[in-house]
Amino acid sequence: AYSIGSIPPLVPEIRKNYPKIKIMVAAPNFDTPNTVTELEAAGMDAFIPIPFRMEPFCSKVEELLSKTI
């Protein structure tokens, strides 16, 4: 398991090793609002705060999957 603090460095590593994969981070809201912006700059495709409702989560997954087709 990864801590929230370890998520930002993972995004560019995942993007580098798997450039076509969609990256969605589901995590509690970060301490600083810049973290989501930094993750987007690093290659994250979507962020969903925990806790989340299933409908918005599924919609976000469907949105990401439709971009791959």
Side-chain angles (χ1 to χ4, degrees):
Y2 295 100
S3 69
I4 291 174
S6 68
I7 292 172
L10 287 175
V11 172
E13 183 178 332
I14 293 168
R15 181 61 64 217
K16 177 182 157 198
N17 292 320
Y18 306 96
K20 294 182 180 182
I21 198 168
K22 297 297 179 187
I23 301 171
M24 181 169 78
V25 175
N29 279 327
F30 293 103
D31 296 336
T32 62
N34 292 337
T35 303
V36 173
T37 304
E38 291 169 10
L39 288 169
E40 290 170 338
M44 176 186 73
D45 296 295
F47 174 78
I48 190 158
I50 294 175
F52 55 82
R53 291 186 5 256
M54 205 50 140
E55 184 178 324
F57 175 80
C58 290
S59 293
K60 187 57 75 175
V61 170
E62 287 177 6
E63 178 186 328
L64 290 175
L65 290 176
S66 71
K67 291 179 182 180
T68 62
I69 296 174

